[in-house]
Structure formats: C-alpha cells, structure tokens
Amino acid sequence: MAEPAFPCPVDPCPPTFDEFAGSTSYFGGQPPLSQTIGYLVVIGFGALFSVFTTAVVYIDKFFAGNANATSEHFNTAGRTVKTGLTASVIVSQWTWAATLLQSSNVAWNYGVSGPFWYASGATIQVLLFGVLAISLKDIAPSAHTMCEIVRARWGKSAHITFLIFAFLANIIVTSMLLLGGAATVQALTGVRYELASFLIPWGVILYTSAGGLKATFMASYFHTMIIFAVLLAMITVVYIKVYSSDQIYDHLAQTVAYTPDECKLIWSKDGTVETTFYTNDAGVKQYACGYVTGNNGGSYLTMLSSDGLMFGIINIVGNFGTVFVDQSYWQSAIAAKPEAAAKGYMLGGVCWFAIPFSLATSLGLTSTALMLPISKDEAGSGLVPPAVADYLMGSAGAALILVMLFMAIVSTGSAESIAVSSLVAYDVYREYINPDATGKQILWVSRVVIVVFGIFMGLFSIVLNVIGLNLGWVYLFMGVVIGSAVIPLWNLMTWRKASGKGAVIAAWGGFALAIIGWLIGAQVQGGSITVATLGTNEVMLSGNLIAIFSSGFIHYVYSKFIDPQDYDFSTLDDNIHLVEQDLRGLGDELNKDDIRRSKRWIIRRGYLLTFVLILAWPVLSVPAGVFTREYFAFWVLVSIAWGFAAAITISVLPLVESQSELGSVFNGMWNYVRGVEGTMRHSDQVEVVAAPTKTLDVEPVKPQAELQFHDQLDHEEA
C-alpha cells in the first residue's frame, strides 16, 4: 500500500486516498504507456488494417468475383449488403470517440442518468433513420448521395444548401474523432497531440482509398468486434472480477456523503483548506466529491437529474443532425439490400445502445465511486475511461482503451472519408465541374478527396485545440450548427407537399435563429460571450432546440400555406443517373410490395422503441427515486446482459448471413490450388439486368463473377 502524502483528514477515507493524496491529475503529466506503444497502435494498427482489408477485398474479387472496381461499386458497395453487416457498419460508424469517452464523462457528471441519456438519446435517431433508409429504396434506389436526391426533387438552390450542411456534419463528426482521439493518445502514450492528429487519419486513408465503401464495410465489421471485445472485458473486470455492484453502490453513496468542507480537505495539497484545489476561482467544483447539484438527494444513483435530463435533450436534438445530415448514414442505406435497409438500422441501433450504456455504467461510475483524481476538464477531454482502465488493469487496461479508441476513430473516420468523397465526386465534380464525367474520373476524384480530407481534418483538429475547444464542447455544439437541416430532409423523403424553397428558407433561417439564440443565451446567463459561457448546458440547449424546431415550423408553414407542392415520388428516381451501367442491387431485386411491407415494419417498431427509450423507461425509473442496492444491481445486470447480447449478435449474424459468399471465396481458393480455372459452377450464374437509358455509358458493367463463368464455359468447350 502506497504511503499517503498526508494523513487522511476525513472518516471514512476515500478508497484511493492513500495512492493519490495531493494529486491534481490521475496521469499527472506522466503517460502510463510509452511513446513506442502509441506509435505502434496509431501507425502499426493503421497499416495492418489497411493491408488486411485491402487483401480481403482483392481476395473477394479474385476468387469470388464480387468486387468489380467500377465507380458505382466503389461508392455503393454494389447495393447488396445484408442485414447483419449493415447493422455492424451502423454500430461501427456510430461509435465515435465521443461514444467511448463522452459517455463516461456524463456518468462522471450526472451518475446513472448520464449513460442512459447518452445511449437512448443517440439510439432513436438510428431507429428512425430506418424509415428514411427504406424510403430511399422505394423512391430513389439509384441514388449515390442524399444531395443527389435533394437536387432531383428540389433543384439547385436546395442542392447547394444541403451540400453545405452535409459538409458541416462531416467536418464536425471528424473533428470530434480527432479531438478526443488525439487527446487520449497524448495522455496515454505521450505522443504529441499535433502529431497524433496527423497520424491517425492515415490508417483510414490507405484502405478507404484503395477499396472504397466495401473495404470500409469489411473493416468496420472487424473494428466492431474488437470494440465489443474490449467492452466485455471492461464490464467483466469492474462488476465481476474486481468489484461487485454492491461495492460500487456503497462507494457512490459515500462519495456524495462528504460535506463541502470535507471535500476541500480531501482535494488539497496537504490536508488543509488553504491548499485546496477542489473548486476553481469561480467556486465551481472540479472533482467528484459531495452533493451532486440537480440530482434527487444529491445522489449519482438516480434518474431524477435535471442536468442529466438537459443533457439528454441536447443529445437527442444534436444527434438527429449528425445522423440525418451525415452522408455516411445515407450511404449505408444506399449500400444495403432493400430488405436489409430497415432491419439493419433497427438491429444496429439496438446493439449500439450497449456500447455507451454498458461502458459508462462500468468505467464512468467507477471513476466517481473510487474518487480518482480526474478533474472536470480532464473528464470533458475524455480521460475517464483510460484512467479507470489503467487503475484497474495497469498498462494493459490503458492499452486496451487505446486500441478500442483507435478502432472507433478509424471505423467512423473511414465512413466519413468515403461520405465526403462521394459528395465531392457526385455533387460537386459531376454536377458542376464535369457533367460528362466517366467512371474512371469519378474513381480518381473519390480517391484524391479521401487523401485531401484526411490531411485537412488533421490541421483542423489542431486549430480547434488551439482555440480551446474540447470534445465535450463540440459534442454539445453540433446540433446548433446542423440541427436546422433535419426536418427538411425528413420531409424530403416522406411529405409530398414539402417545398424546396421552404426547405432552403427553413435550413438557413433555423441556423441563423439558433446562432442568435445561442449567443444571446451566453450573454444573458454568463454576462459575456466566451468559450466557457457558450458551452454551458442551458445555453447549448437553447441553441439546439431553436435550430430544429424553428426550422421545422418554417418549413411546415411555407409548404402548407405559401408554396404547397403535390410531388409524385414515382418520378424521383428518373432524375438520378448512374455513371456506369453497374446494375447490381437494382432491377428485379426492388420489389415494391416488399419494400412497402418493410417500411410499415420499421415505422411501427421504430416509433415503439423510440417511445420506450425516451419516455417509458425514464418514467418507470422515476418512482425508484434514489436507487436502492437491489435496484442498482438490476440496472447493472441489464447493462451487462445487453452488452453480451449485442456483442454476440453483431459478431455472429454477419458471418451466418454470408455463408454463401464465404463459400464462394473458399471454393475459388480451392479451385485455384487445384489449378481449375473459374470460381463458379453453372448454377452460380449471375443474371444481368437489361440496362435502362439513364446512364452515360452504353454497355452494362457485368459482375466479374459472370465474366469468369463465361470464360470457364469457353475453356471447357475448347
């Protein structure tokens, strides 16, 4: 047992007092891992996944003929992705650095309500986006981007407007990835923030530019499995190996039992009030200790938390923007088979819920239960999970969090990269620069943009860090910027009366009102406009709510009373053109009756689960007040069970669904070893659908598998 810097001034003593007495920071400027490990993870893992993913894509192409490199396939993955892989990709690209880091920060701040509101407030958007995903398959199956659909229905002005909002969404999401990721890499390994910001994107750039969306999907599956493996390790260590729910419950109860004076003595240099660092100059507490303001009974063990609820509302509003306005989610819908579009988003949302809920319920609550020396600023920068993991498991725990974080960054980063490349290639280059662009030119532009965007985001994250914006600040701010585009995009796909002019006015009007309300709120509440006053929950909440609701109101009024439309959705897809005649995932596979049944399926279940997650569950928790020991044990059991069930489902289902594809690959490899040409039997012939007259090329691009099949027939006849 370490000798404390000074005798414990309170009774009972905090559980980690002897080790950290007088410490203002858990890491204290000394990273638990060496720089070598940092470079190994950031560079080595990036290179490893680049080589591995690219190899898998080319093996699939060579032995099964499934990856013919057209620009259509590069940006849509052939529109044939099944439910399990779609769900896995949704989990992967929705698991940001913030999912792992910010979720534990809100647990550190608000207790059990934080992980719940983070998880539920960011799950319902994915569930509801399933409605748009299946609608896309119904009315715009040929689309490459959401902005193409905007252009086809509402014209040029709306197209430029929503293209700007789409780029803003991509930039904000990638900023959060690098802000949280680079800060954590620096804290854990000592690798400089600026250097980490530049190195992290390169692993993404390499395999995304080489293999396109299909490579991104394959990598996402492996990233998701690793993330869940680390998640299960953490919840097992906290609640099964080292502690139990009862022990964490007792420690949490003791943390809030200390008086303000006792907290000042605990968080001091020598056990005296004169040397305390418990509060800052403004009198705001900086460490976990004492009464939790705004919580029922001042306890971490309650869902009755005003600040927790406020965060939940901000989370709900802000994340509508980063799902509905983010091209990567539209791209996953475009890539999915029609029957997988709805079910994949439903399953992905339910499985993703486990990551922030289970991880923060374990690591986030443990940080406050043990009263580790993590300051408010450090928690806001995402250092709660690595600190707890390092304390419980030593350098191995810190390394696991680093690997988990890197998986989250590269999986979401690759999705954002391919999303930006598609927007530039189809909505800028093809639309305004070279309308007659060929498939090869689209491919070239897509790959160049992936590289340029990665470099740009490295620079941008450094600028944000210099300004003083951390992960938590940007996370709360995102809804203010892009929230006004949400309802117009929903109306685009679901409301025939929606006006294009109204959508433009609503998006920009809502944005302007949100910024004005946000600035006024900071001035009124804080007396000045600074980064700190702009970042409070109340001010961010006002900006987020104004953005989404003012925009929705403006668009409804304009479309209903000023410029009502009567749009025929059956004509929408006729205005969207393919670059090449690559018809995989189109044609006979698009059964309208099946699509409409799937739409009814997702609407009923999506709305029901949304009701459960944001209303029924919280309301049913209200009577519990401050949780009893037994209620908390049940709460923890739910988080553990959900985590294990999600991990098994998301890991096994894609493999089960891909049995035939895996069989084709292994069969092709076996034939190659035996020296037999071709990879497919006569019964495996792929039917090519006749080409419509809506593309620039003349000849349809046949799947590589069919070409190999005919080569084999010619060889046998010879």
Side-chain angles (χ1 to χ4, degrees):
M1 179 67 69
E3 192 69 27
F6 55 89
C8 184
V10 297
D11 184 32
C13 200
T16 59
F17 180 83
D18 289 349
E19 297 165 87
F20 299 109
S23 298
T24 59
S25 169
Y26 178 85
F27 293 112
Q30 298 298 319
L33 303 174
S34 67
Q35 286 192 7
T36 302
I37 294 178
Y39 289 120
L40 183 64
V41 171
V42 173
I43 299 176
F45 266 86
L48 176 64
F49 269 95
S50 295
V51 172
F52 177 76
T53 306
T54 305
V56 169
V57 170
Y58 281 99
I59 287 172
D60 187 43
K61 174 182 178 180
F62 185 78
F63 292 113
N66 290 328
N68 198 17
T70 66
S71 65
E72 292 288 332
H73 195 280
F74 186 90
N75 289 291
T76 68
R79 299 182 175 90
T80 56
V81 180
K82 297 181 180 178
T83 301
L85 187 57
T86 298
S88 178
V89 168
I90 295 304
V91 171
S92 179
Q93 67 190 44
W94 201 212
T95 303
W96 304 346
T99 306
L100 309 177
L101 306 177
Q102 178 70 2
S103 59
S104 289
N105 173 36
V106 291
W108 185 92
N109 277 291
Y110 315 127
V112 295
S113 68
F116 172 80
W117 282 119
Y118 191 103
S120 65
T123 296
I124 62 171
Q125 296 84 355
V126 176
L127 302 179
L128 295 177
F129 191 86
V131 177
L132 297 188
I134 197 64
S135 296
L136 183 148
K137 291 298 181 184
D138 185 22
I139 63 178
S142 301
H144 308 89
T145 71
M146 69 173 184
C147 292
E148 268 190 336
I149 304 173
V150 173
R151 180 74 170 90
R153 179 174 178 184
W154 285 338
K156 184 176 179 180
S157 296
H159 180 253
I160 294 174
T161 291
F162 288 96
L163 185 60
I164 292 171
F165 278 98
F167 282 135
L168 286 173
N170 294 130
I171 290 170
I172 289 172
V173 171
T174 312
S175 298
M176 286 191 286
L177 291 178
L178 294 178
L179 277 171
T184 306
V185 168
Q186 183 180 45
L188 291 178
T189 67
V191 175
R192 288 186 60 189
Y193 177 94
E194 295 82 3
L195 193 55
S197 294
F198 271 107
L199 291 177
I200 289 172
W202 278 102
V204 173
I205 289 170
L206 293 175
Y207 73 76
T208 307
S209 60
L213 192 61
K214 185 158 190 174
T216 296
F217 279 21
M218 289 182 173
S220 293
Y221 171 70
F222 294 108
H223 295 154
T224 301
M225 286 203 301
I226 293 172
I227 288 170
F228 269 108
V230 177
L231 168 69
L232 297 184
M234 293 301 160
I235 60 179
T236 300
V237 166
V238 169
Y239 286 115
I240 297 175
K241 182 180 179 182
V242 179
Y243 299 104
S244 65
S245 63
D246 286 352
Q247 289 175 300
I248 296 297
Y249 179 92
D250 291 338
H251 287 318
L252 286 170
Q254 183 55 53
T255 297
V256 300
Y258 292 117
T259 65
D261 288 339
E262 289 176 325
C263 290
K264 290 178 181 179
L265 297 177
I266 294 170
W267 299 109
S268 64
K269 291 291 186 182
D270 56 12
T272 63
V273 174
E274 289 74 20
T275 60
T276 187
F277 46 84
Y278 174 61
T279 59
N280 61 12
D281 293 339
V284 179
K285 79 172 187 177
Q286 300 296 297
Y287 295 87
C289 183
Y291 189 93
V292 183
T293 304
N295 281 23
N296 183 31
S299 175
Y300 288 111
L301 296 160
T302 180
M303 281 291 289
L304 291 170
S305 169
S306 59
D307 286 339
L309 177 61
M310 194 179 305
F311 166 78
I313 297 171
I314 297 172
N315 198 38
I316 291 170
V317 175
N319 281 307
F320 268 113
T322 49
V323 172
F324 284 50
V325 190
D326 190 339
Q327 163 62 17
S328 67
Y329 294 93
W330 294 82
Q331 202 139 2
S332 296
I334 290 165
K337 292 171 72 73
E339 64 271 19
K343 294 179 181 178
Y345 278 82
M346 174 67 71
L347 182 61
V350 171
C351 290
W352 178 87
F353 181 94
I355 296 178
F357 182 60
S358 302
L359 186 70
T361 298
S362 56
L363 298 184
L365 294 182
T366 300
S367 68
T368 55
L370 301 181
M371 293 178 65
L372 295 176
I374 303 170
S375 71
K376 192 176 186 68
D377 287 341
E378 288 176 325
S381 295
L383 299 184
V384 172
V388 177
D390 179 74
Y391 180 77
L392 296 178
M393 303 172 67
S395 58
L400 284 176
I401 292 295
L402 182 61
V403 170
M404 188 187 201
L405 179 69
F406 187 74
M407 294 299 102
I409 293 170
V410 295
S411 60
T412 307
S414 62
E416 296 301 312
S417 297
I418 197 74
V420 171
S421 74
S422 295
L423 289 171
V424 173
Y426 289 101
D427 293 291
V428 178
Y429 179 72
R430 185 190 181 198
E431 185 66 33
Y432 299 111
I433 299 174
N434 185 7
D436 298 322
T438 64
K440 288 183 179 179
Q441 290 172 322
I442 293 290
L443 265 177
W444 183 83
V445 170
S446 297
R447 287 174 167 143
V448 169
V449 170
I450 288 170
V451 176
V452 172
F453 182 68
I455 296 172
F456 165 75
M457 287 313 306
L459 285 169
F460 190 64
S461 68
I462 293 172
V463 172
L464 292 179
N465 187 58
V466 171
I467 293 173
L469 308 184
N470 63 20
L471 174 65
W473 196 98
V474 178
Y475 186 84
L476 297 176
F477 177 63
M478 60 189 178
V480 179
V481 179
I482 58 178
S484 60
V486 171
I487 294 179
L489 285 173
W490 177 272
N491 293 339
L492 167 76
M493 303 296 291
T494 60
W495 191 27
R496 60 185 175 83
K497 293 185 179 181
S499 164
K501 292 180 182 178
V504 173
I505 295 171
W508 290 118
F511 173 77
L513 290 172
I515 294 295
I516 292 170
W518 179 57
L519 294 173
I520 292 174
Q523 180 66 44
V524 170
Q525 186 190 54
S528 62
I529 297 177
T530 65
V531 170
T533 59
L534 289 169
T536 64
N537 275 356
E538 294 81 2
V539 173
M540 287 292 192
L541 176 61
S542 64
N544 275 265
L545 290 176
I546 292 171
I548 195 166
F549 287 116
S550 66
S551 166
F553 177 77
I554 292 170
H555 197 209
Y556 175 80
V557 170
Y558 199 95
S559 300
K560 187 74 173 177
F561 303 108
I562 301 174
D563 183 31
Q565 305 291 306
D566 189 17
Y567 190 75
D568 182 1
F569 281 110
S570 65
T571 65
L572 181 60
D573 200 52
D574 295 335
N575 297 320
I576 299 173
H577 304 290
L578 303 178
V579 176
E580 297 142 319
Q581 292 289 72
D582 188 341
L583 303 175
R584 284 170 285 189
L586 299 173
D588 292 340
E589 295 184 30
L590 298 172
N591 186 300
K592 294 294 185 181
D593 290 335
D594 289 342
I595 288 175
R596 283 160 191 153
R597 277 194 293 270
S598 295
K599 190 172 184 178
R600 288 195 296 271
W601 185 92
I602 187 64
I603 287 174
R604 292 168 182 169
R605 288 158 180 80
Y607 289 169
L608 176 62
L609 270 176
T610 298
F611 170 78
V612 169
L613 290 177
I614 67 171
L615 191 61
W617 186 337
V619 168
L620 291 174
S621 301
V622 168
V626 176
F627 291 0
T628 63
R629 191 188 306 272
E630 293 74 19
Y631 196 97
F632 180 66
F634 174 73
W635 190 273
V636 169
L637 177 63
V638 170
S639 74
I640 294 174
W642 204 312
F644 274 90
I648 294 170
T649 302
I650 216 68
S651 301
V652 174
L653 183 59
L655 297 178
V656 172
E657 288 185 330
S658 301
Q659 290 181 75
S660 61
E661 289 83 356
L662 292 172
S664 295
V665 171
F666 289 125
N667 183 54
M669 296 174 70
W670 177 241
N671 286 340
Y672 181 80
V673 171
R674 292 164 54 213
V676 178
E677 294 187 17
T679 64
M680 302 183 70
R681 301 183 303 275
H682 289 230
S683 60
D684 296 323
Q685 182 175 359
V686 178
E687 180 183 357
V688 177
V689 183
T693 58
K694 58 184 293 184
T695 62
L696 300 177
D697 294 347
V698 176
E699 293 294 326
V701 177
K702 297 181 179 181
Q704 185 70 20
E706 190 196 13
L707 298 178
Q708 292 176 336
F709 172 73
H710 287 299
D711 288 344
Q712 183 177 354
L713 286 181
D714 294 341
H715 175 75
E716 291 173 354
E717 289 172 1

